[in-house]
Amino acid sequence: MSSIHTKSSAFPFFSSSLQGTSFKLALTVVGAIAISACQPTDSTSDSASINKNTNDTAVASGEGASALTPKRTQTVESLAGVPMQQLVTFDPQEIKQGGDTGISITSSESYSKPSSNLSASRKGSFFIGNAFFRQPWVVAPASTDSRDGLGALFNVAACQSCHIKDGRGHAPMSSEDDADSLLIRLAMPATTDEERAQLQNSLIEKVVHPMYGGQLQDRGIQGVPAEARIAVQWTDKPVTFADGHVETLRAPTFHLTSPGYGAFDDEMMVSPRVALPMIGLGLLEQIPDDDIKKQAVDNDSADISGKFNWVMDPQTGKTALGRFGWKAGQTKLLTQNQSAFNEDMGLTSNIRPHESCMPAQTACVNATTGADEQGGGKPPVEVNDEVAKFVEFYTRNLAVPHRRNAEDKLVLAGKKRFYDMGCQSCHTPRYQLPKTDDDHLEQHGQVIYPYTDLLLHDMGDELADRTIAGKLPPKDAQVEFLANSYEWRTPALWGIGLAQTVDPQATFLHDGRARTLMEAVLWHGGEAEKQKQKVLQLDKQGRAELTAFLQSL
């Protein structure tokens, strides 16, 4: 492991679009390490990442396909089951972007309703799961045996504290604001051949910090020091369109102060991440692996080179395709949920049976737990299998709201611009889900419009995470299985137009820097640089059209 440095440090911070884990981060402590946002970039060593797409400069035919190569167009059409022309123009079926699971509610409750095709006999499981998702866990020992064991180190006490009304989180608005719906992931560079081999073969998620682990926890129960305090400052960054219109972006400067367990290492990579919305996750889980993998091969523009993440499933102990989280580091909802219980709330389960304490954090290690005996040779845990199953069912069946104004002329003009600029290169619009032999009855056979390929893409230096000393890591430094600091999973766009109806404070991109959808678009770089430059050519009418389309989703 790298040695620990005693000096304070600062680093520039930019991050990309719409999961890290599920839940949060708040503030707690007092000290001196900053993470700054807008410094010159360092040179990096490019390393060829797996699953790179082949280059093909041919121009595809057909309306809305001119920005894609023939191979990519063919893939999008094969996944959709319809020609590109139908995707670009008004498609009545797309109003139900979550298929038959969707709902038509357009209020602050838009993300919190069960799948509309959920039978009465199965709704009980949904509402029990909802109760465990919403209600705070408490410190052990407590009279509420089913919800005790919080901490000893944690970020939030309830899932809903991070996923506000089941929606997306937001970055702190000022240095005094809480970071409840934002957390910070940590990683160290590999320093040995063994660590490098483990990362390359997805045998470990990351090299964790020897004292702070893989996620910063900014709260602790009584007698257990929190790991650090988190605050943020904002710097305006004006961006000018071709017609002279100026959009003011904001760049974050995150500060980590009052380290509770010694100074941070300058080489530690730091990744702030807001909570992702919970809608449609069961539908994304049903997209076949092969449909995701083929896009890593066929997303064949000279500039677009998505790759899939290959991760260790903590339940099976085998490697599998990652699809959940900001870097696609989780294979399925069950493991996503239990990893979030463990890292965000300090709760153990059969999949994550160990407390989220580093060995040297003795107060955390020795704290009282709320673990109960499970029998059958299983270890005592705080989140038993029954609770885990109810929460999984709940997270699988949160409905996607229907589109609004999908036939409006302004929306359709914006949709055509979205396709003509090639945004569907990464935001794959439509999938046909199979009927499988599991009990995911509500999701079986649905036609959905999530607008994501679930692949990792390099979003450029400005959206890349930095080290705590402010440097860009090399591109061969893995921070979450195969993903590096520059790469982010394409977020699903469905429901995004209602994000700030659900929570007016909701923000966009992985660190919450974007206050509007246009700001989020203008932060795109790397593989999406060409698309951003096309957006910057839009006049007032074009901007209104594109925004209207995104708001209709």
Side-chain angles (χ1 to χ4, degrees):
M1 294 293 180
S2 300
S3 59
I4 303 293
H5 296 279
T6 57
K7 62 182 181 181
S8 300
S9 34
F11 77 88
F13 240 105
F14 296 124
S15 312
S16 126
S17 344
L18 309 151
Q19 189 202 185
T21 17
S22 300
F23 311 137
K24 102 87 246 210
L25 235 113
L27 305 158
T28 342
V29 200
V30 216
I33 295 190
I35 303 171
S36 80
C38 282
Q39 297 180 11
T41 61
D42 289 359
S43 59
T44 59
S45 58
D46 290 324
S47 166
S49 54
I50 71 163
N51 308 326
K52 284 290 184 185
N53 309 331
T54 56
N55 293 337
D56 187 338
T57 56
V59 177
S61 61
E63 185 178 7
S66 59
L68 307 184
T69 63
K71 186 186 291 186
R72 178 60 180 152
T73 299
Q74 182 181 15
T75 299
V76 171
E77 291 181 333
S78 69
L79 294 172
V82 297
M84 188 70 72
Q85 170 68 22
Q86 183 172 331
L87 295 172
V88 177
T89 55
F90 174 63
D91 178 3
Q93 189 171 16
E94 189 178 350
I95 294 174
K96 298 170 66 173
Q97 52 190 344
D100 292 333
T101 70
I103 56 171
S104 57
I105 296 174
T106 56
S107 71
S108 62
E109 299 298 316
S110 294
Y111 288 1
S112 297
K113 299 300 182 182
S115 300
S116 60
N117 61 349
L118 190 65
S119 67
S121 62
R122 288 163 69 87
K123 281 186 178 177
S125 294
F126 178 88
F127 290 114
I128 293 172
N130 182 29
F132 280 106
F133 194 86
R134 294 172 65 90
Q135 293 174 5
W137 290 70
V138 296
V139 178
S143 57
T144 51
D145 284 347
S146 61
R147 289 188 294 105
D148 71 342
L150 177 68
L153 288 167
F154 64 102
N155 298 130
V156 283
C159 310
Q160 193 77 228
S161 298
C162 204
H163 301 277
I164 301 161
K165 289 185 176 293
D166 301 293
R168 67 183 63 250
H170 62 271
M173 301 300 292
S174 69
S175 58
E176 291 78 35
D177 194 11
D178 266 357
D180 274 355
S181 56
L182 173 144
L183 57 78
I184 291 187
R185 303 300 302 275
L186 309 172
M188 294 295 293
T191 57
T192 67
D193 289 342
E194 180 183 9
E195 289 174 344
R196 283 185 280 271
Q198 288 176 319
L199 285 170
Q200 289 164 7
N201 292 289
S202 297
L203 298 178
I204 57 173
E205 176 188 357
K206 63 179 72 174
V207 178
V208 301
H209 190 278
M211 186 59 77
Y212 290 95
Q215 179 169 312
L216 194 76
Q217 293 156 325
D218 61 343
R219 287 180 174 148
I221 65 173
Q222 187 173 3
V224 180
E227 291 185 328
R229 178 182 173 87
I230 304 160
V232 65
Q233 294 176 322
W234 300 99
T235 303
D236 286 347
K237 177 179 175 166
V239 174
T240 305
F241 284 77
D243 67 355
H245 172 74
V246 176
E247 194 83 22
T248 301
L249 310 184
R250 59 173 193 168
T253 302
F254 286 89
H255 300 276
L256 302 184
T257 64
S258 297
Y261 299 89
F264 300 109
D265 191 302
D266 282 353
E267 297 302 309
M268 183 174 72
M269 293 171 280
V270 185
S271 180
R273 304 184 192 180
V274 297
L276 281 159
M278 301 300 297
I279 55 173
L281 300 183
L283 296 166
L284 297 180
E285 190 172 37
Q286 289 292 102
I287 297 175
D289 285 3
D290 286 346
D291 286 359
I292 300 170
K293 289 179 179 179
K294 76 171 61 171
Q295 296 184 80
V297 175
D298 293 346
N299 201 336
D300 55 5
S301 149
D303 305 297
I304 305 298
S305 54
K307 74 180 190 185
F308 57 85
N309 206 351
W310 198 244
V311 312
M312 177 62 68
D313 186 316
Q315 183 182 30
T316 65
K318 298 179 180 179
T319 52
L321 183 81
R323 66 180 70 210
F324 292 117
W326 279 109
K327 291 187 182 289
Q330 293 289 341
T331 59
K332 52 185 181 284
L333 282 176
L334 185 65
T335 58
Q336 165 68 36
N337 294 342
Q338 294 192 37
S339 294
F341 271 129
N342 188 255
E343 294 174 328
D344 302 348
M345 301 165 74
L347 298 168
T348 57
S349 63
N350 284 323
I351 291 177
R352 299 292 298 270
H354 304 294
E355 297 289 339
S356 57
C357 311
M358 293 303 289
Q361 295 173 332
T362 53
C364 182
V365 171
N366 296 327
T368 302
T369 76
D372 297 316
E373 294 292 338
Q374 303 299 297
K378 296 179 179 178
V381 296
E382 290 151 334
V383 180
N384 63 39
D385 285 349
E386 186 177 24
V387 171
K389 200 164 186 178
F390 282 129
V391 174
E392 180 197 14
F393 191 84
Y394 174 72
T395 57
R396 196 170 77 215
N397 280 295
L398 282 161
V400 177
H402 294 334
R403 287 189 60 192
R404 289 85 48 219
N405 308 316
E407 202 171 358
D408 181 85
K409 289 183 178 179
L410 192 69
V411 169
L412 289 173
K415 184 180 187 182
K416 186 175 186 303
R417 289 186 183 277
F418 182 91
Y419 279 80
D420 286 348
M421 291 187 292
C423 301
Q424 76 276 31
S425 295
C426 303
H427 291 282
T428 306
R430 171 172 154 149
Y431 296 86
Q432 301 177 95
L433 301 184
K435 291 186 177 181
T436 53
D437 59 1
D438 55 34
D439 73 339
H440 299 196
L441 307 180
E442 294 74 25
Q443 292 76 35
H444 286 175
Q446 298 299 324
V447 174
I448 61 171
Y449 295 77
Y451 285 91
T452 176
D453 58 10
L454 296 177
L455 295 177
L456 298 168
H457 294 275
D458 185 332
M459 297 300 293
D461 290 358
E462 286 193 320
L463 287 180
D465 289 329
R466 309 285 177 124
T467 70
I468 201 161
K471 296 181 179 179
L472 278 169
K475 289 196 174 182
D476 62 355
Q478 294 168 228
V479 298
E480 193 164 331
F481 293 107
L482 301 182
N484 66 29
S485 293
Y486 304 74
E487 293 171 327
W488 303 97
R489 187 204 65 164
T490 306
L493 298 183
W494 53 14
I496 199 169
L498 291 170
Q500 292 173 336
T501 299
V502 171
D503 176 16
Q505 289 189 300
T507 52
F508 308 101
L509 301 183
H510 80 268
D511 58 3
R513 68 178 60 199
R515 295 158 293 188
T516 67
L517 296 177
M518 183 58 75
E519 285 186 29
V521 170
L522 295 177
W523 276 113
H524 281 50
E527 295 176 32
E529 180 66 29
K530 282 192 174 180
Q531 283 70 29
K532 181 182 73 177
Q533 293 303 321
K534 291 177 181 179
V535 171
L536 287 171
Q537 297 303 310
L538 295 178
D539 59 12
K540 182 178 181 180
Q541 178 67 18
R543 294 191 293 272
E545 291 168 354
L546 180 60
T547 298
F549 168 64
L550 295 175
Q551 290 286 357
S552 79
L553 295 176

